[in-house]
Amino acid sequence: MLTDFEKWYFDLRGYFVIKGAVPNEDIKEMISHAESWFDSKNILPDPISSNFDGSAAKLLYNFHYVEKVFERLVLNKNILRFINGIQNGNSRVYDVLLSKSTQQESDTELHSGFEGGFQEPNQQFIIANNNIFASFVNVGVSLVDIPNHLGFTCLPGSHKGNFKIPGDITLYDDPPTVVNVPVNAGDVIVFTPLLRHGARAWTEKYARYTVFMRFIFAK
Amino acid sequence: MIKMNQIIADYNSLKFETLMSEKENWFFDTHGYMIVKNVITKDEANYLIDKFESWSQLPEEKVPHPLKRSLESTVFQNMHYVDEKYQDLILNHRIMKYVSSILLHNPRLMFSSVIKLTKDQKRKKHPNKNQENKLQKFIEDGNVLLHRDTNGYNYPFESFINPLIGYQVVNGIIHSGYVNVSVTLVDVPDDHGIGLIPGSHKSNFNTPLIESDDPYKEYIQSFELTAGDAIVFVPNLLHTSRKWELDYPRYTIFNRYVFGKYIDEGYSSHAFEEYKDNINDELYELEKKNIHQEKKIVSRLKNIYQNRSNNTLNSA
């Protein structure tokens, strides 16, 4: 279900950007709900729960049970085509969360990255029969435009590494070792959690809203 | 109880130890290349350029053997049989540290060439007319033609590991059957020179047609280099040479090293027996297939880098 280019790119880099996967009107509606919920402090509709204790972002959960626009996002065909293409048509949504970062939040430190050896079955990235299979896939849907120097940052190719990742590589290093991935509102970043990744501290005056979803192999 | 075991000769790489650091291993494995800065000085680079130009001026019958000159005097091969400074560069320990490690301490020089490129120079035509027409049509619109270096054979899928060339890592040991080394003799701005796609040496899929508004920004990495800098890279990495638009010519030395246990592949420029006295023993041996003992250059490298490593450990 993936094109030759999509397979080649995802294998090479460990992530893929689906441009304009989510309609503008849905993005606007999601931002409106997000602003309302993050401003409402403790009064959140059931079954939404929150975690505002993290240093990098404030988080909300279960909102796709409350507003149809988020349900539509989880079932977005542009996203599911890609995910099912990686998971052999057996995807299961595992986690959905809405993240808000402002200038007050810190960066999300680089984490993950494959360093050789056995792959954990729950986080496999393997190739066979000219196809990719990844048992765990992350999806980040940006609800705002991200400037070129901010947002999702990763070490391309680090999902296929064979050696210990040097500890002195930071979020702010230069390409080709470290790249940040420019996206606009409605763009989707699909990436394997084996990719070493993080996010640079948000410096814009407007908040960064991102919906993160995790898909696992349903079998 | 009857025991069974296999016989393995002790000249194999069973006790292999890389000369590369853990960090260098990670970088090379991830990106497929390594930049080695200042392997020669600018003065030394200028000397090598002067030699190139002096050979260019010679009438054909005066070109010293076995130096090989292209028709337009844009490419020379076998310079190391004629000039000692070219020899030194092939044997440079800061380059050979990587080459020997990647070749499992079985390095063999396959060829050495130096190439001159000017901004108005025409591309060398492909010998096959149909292929040439296709290539010309593709690049005339500014499209980018990438390639991997092969030994003339393309497998049904790019993910096949060519036993002579392919890149692989087993239990923390990197091996590629070919290692390319390019050394620039002039300063190269970051939008010129070699362009490559980092990580493409480990691609598991055939290279698709890639469409991009700015391929050099989105995909291709090139480098700001000063005269005397080297790039060590695996030939399985997708790479290209960017259009040279500067007023001064580009001079690049291009050396390829191969795994020394292999048979000749039809290239005639490994070693020239009749001129073997022109080169030193270490280089002569480096051009030969491996006999069942460690080559002199490998012993020298181990002395430099393993002793350095041991001294560091002892002083820690």
Side-chain angles (χ1 to χ4, degrees):
Chain A
M1 281 191 281
L2 298 188
T3 66
D4 288 344
F5 175 75
E6 288 168 339
K7 286 190 281 191
W8 176 82
Y9 191 100
F10 194 79
D11 172 58
L12 177 75
R13 298 219 163 182
Y15 67 87
F16 190 86
V17 178
I18 309 173
K19 303 292 281 184
V22 185
N24 279 342
E25 56 270 27
D26 281 9
I27 294 292
K28 284 179 189 162
E29 188 181 340
M30 284 189 275
I31 287 202
S32 170
H33 291 307
E35 286 174 343
S36 156
W37 290 334
F38 278 106
D39 287 345
S40 66
K41 306 228 164 55
N42 296 325
I43 314 158
L44 288 166
D46 284 336
I48 296 180
S49 60
S50 65
N51 177 358
F52 290 176
D53 297 333
S55 60
K58 294 181 173 61
L59 305 174
L60 296 177
Y61 305 89
N62 306 327
F63 44 86
H64 55 301
Y65 285 86
V66 177
E67 290 295 342
K68 284 287 178 192
V69 68
F70 289 103
E71 183 183 307
R72 282 202 299 278
L73 180 66
V74 176
L75 297 172
N76 181 293
K77 285 181 181 171
N78 296 318
I79 300 171
L80 287 183
R81 176 190 67 81
F82 203 98
I83 303 303
N84 275 295
I86 294 171
Q87 296 186 325
N88 199 23
N90 282 291
S91 297
R92 176 187 174 198
V93 65
Y94 169 70
D95 203 5
V96 184
L97 61 91
L98 176 60
S99 152
K100 178 184 180 182
S101 297
T102 65
Q103 292 171 330
Q104 275 68 55
E105 273 79 38
S106 64
D107 51 29
T108 303
E109 287 181 8
L110 287 169
H111 55 285
S112 296
F114 192 64
E115 299 183 331
F118 292 106
Q119 288 188 345
E120 187 192 326
N122 293 326
Q123 289 196 13
Q124 278 183 320
F125 179 91
I126 51 177
I127 311 294
N129 300 331
N130 209 30
N131 275 311
I132 295 174
F133 174 74
S135 54
F136 197 134
V137 184
N138 287 342
V139 172
V141 183
S142 187
L143 305 188
V144 299
D145 291 345
I146 308 285
N148 281 345
H149 61 291
L150 295 177
F152 181 80
T153 303
C154 64
L155 279 59
S158 57
H159 61 304
K160 296 194 294 186
N162 291 292
F163 296 93
K164 187 169 172 51
I165 299 171
D168 56 357
I169 295 174
T170 78
L171 278 168
Y172 302 95
D173 286 355
D174 293 323
T177 296
V178 177
V179 302
N180 84 304
V181 182
V183 288
N184 289 322
D187 292 347
V188 172
I189 304 174
V190 181
F191 61 103
T192 160
L194 289 175
L195 185 72
R196 189 159 180 78
H197 62 280
R200 292 176 179 171
W202 191 249
T203 55
E204 300 300 292
K205 286 178 181 167
Y206 59 93
R208 177 189 179 203
Y209 291 106
T210 314
V211 177
F212 288 104
M213 297 186 278
R214 289 168 172 161
F215 293 88
I216 56 171
F217 185 55
K219 297 277 187 184
Chain B
M1 185 68 72
I2 296 171
K3 295 178 181 174
M4 293 195 291
N5 206 340
Q6 65 170 324
I7 298 171
I8 299 176
D10 59 6
Y11 57 80
N12 286 286
S13 298
L14 297 180
K15 293 176 182 169
F16 173 82
E17 283 184 40
T18 182
L19 304 178
M20 292 162 64
S21 69
E22 186 75 15
K23 202 170 176 178
E24 289 168 335
N25 273 329
W26 180 84
F27 189 96
F28 196 86
D29 176 55
T30 302
H31 299 309
Y33 69 87
M34 182 73 72
I35 305 284
V36 192
K37 300 291 287 180
N38 304 315
V39 292
I40 53 172
T41 65
K42 193 146 194 161
D43 285 345
E44 288 168 326
N46 285 334
Y47 170 87
L48 298 177
I49 291 174
D50 289 344
K51 293 304 288 187
F52 182 106
E53 289 302 333
S54 70
W55 295 328
S56 298
Q57 303 305 316
L58 294 172
E60 188 60 35
E61 65 276 13
K62 297 277 187 187
V63 175
H65 291 290
L67 191 65
K68 192 175 166 188
R69 184 172 75 179
S70 68
L71 276 178
E72 306 83 6
S73 289
T74 52
V75 182
F76 283 92
Q77 285 185 304
N78 313 322
M79 310 79 67
H80 51 299
Y81 280 88
V82 181
D83 187 88
E84 206 169 320
K85 291 281 183 196
Y86 277 97
Q87 285 185 34
D88 293 344
L89 189 55
I90 291 168
L91 298 168
N92 181 289
H93 73 82
R94 292 184 55 222
I95 292 172
M96 286 307 295
K97 163 189 164 179
Y98 301 106
V99 171
S100 185
S101 295
I102 295 162
L103 293 169
L104 303 178
H105 296 323
N106 284 280
R108 182 183 185 194
L109 181 69
M110 184 180 192
F111 64 74
S112 179
S113 57
V114 57
I115 300 168
K116 178 185 180 181
L117 182 67
T118 53
K119 68 177 177 182
D120 51 357
Q121 195 170 310
K122 293 221 163 47
R123 183 178 59 85
K124 190 183 171 190
K125 287 188 175 176
H126 195 281
N128 181 297
K129 200 173 176 183
N130 284 340
Q131 188 70 9
E132 171 57 25
N133 288 341
K134 277 187 203 167
L135 295 179
Q136 188 57 38
K137 191 168 173 11
F138 188 77
I139 61 172
E140 66 191 5
D141 296 330
N143 295 316
V144 178
L145 208 52
L146 299 157
H147 70 278
R148 291 190 167 99
D149 298 333
T150 73
N151 55 345
Y153 185 76
N154 291 310
Y155 284 76
F157 293 100
E158 292 173 37
S159 55
F160 271 96
I161 295 176
N162 182 322
L164 296 180
I165 302 176
Y167 178 88
Q168 53 187 312
V169 177
V170 175
N171 294 338
I173 297 174
I174 291 175
H175 175 55
S176 169
Y178 278 13
V179 182
N180 291 343
V181 176
S182 98
V183 183
T184 181
L185 303 182
V186 298
D187 292 347
V188 180
D190 66 2
D191 56 354
H192 282 64
I194 287 179
L196 46 84
I197 298 187
S200 57
H201 61 306
K202 295 198 288 185
S203 276
N204 289 298
F205 295 97
N206 287 354
T207 309
L209 180 69
I210 304 162
E211 295 179 301
S212 167
D213 291 332
D214 188 348
Y216 293 106
K217 188 176 173 191
E218 282 189 77
Y219 295 96
I220 297 173
Q221 179 72 36
S222 40
F223 311 93
E224 182 177 357
L225 301 171
T226 53
D229 291 349
I231 307 175
V232 179
F233 64 104
V234 288
N236 213 29
L237 200 62
L238 284 169
H239 58 280
T240 188
S241 189
R242 300 186 66 164
K243 191 169 168 52
W244 190 259
E245 293 177 319
L246 302 179
D247 289 333
Y248 59 89
R250 175 189 177 200
Y251 296 88
T252 314
I253 292 175
F254 192 74
N255 295 335
R256 176 175 293 160
Y257 304 83
V258 296
F259 189 60
K261 296 288 183 191
Y262 292 150
I263 57 169
D264 292 330
E265 287 190 71
Y267 293 89
S268 59
S269 52
H270 273 281
F272 294 87
E273 287 300 318
E274 57 193 296
Y275 299 103
K276 68 184 230 184
D277 292 338
N278 292 10
I279 57 177
N280 64 40
D281 290 348
E282 195 177 85
L283 182 50
Y284 175 69
E285 190 192 44
L286 183 62
E287 289 203 312
K288 305 295 285 181
K289 271 183 284 191
N290 266 25
I291 47 175
H292 297 167
Q293 66 184 41
E294 188 167 273
K295 285 186 171 178
K296 291 181 178 66
I297 189 166
V298 176
S299 303
R300 178 164 67 88
L301 291 166
K302 285 181 176 176
N303 268 330
I304 296 170
Y305 290 100
Q306 289 181 339
N307 286 348
R308 188 177 290 176
S309 167
N310 290 340
N311 288 341
T312 308
L313 283 175
N314 290 338
S315 62

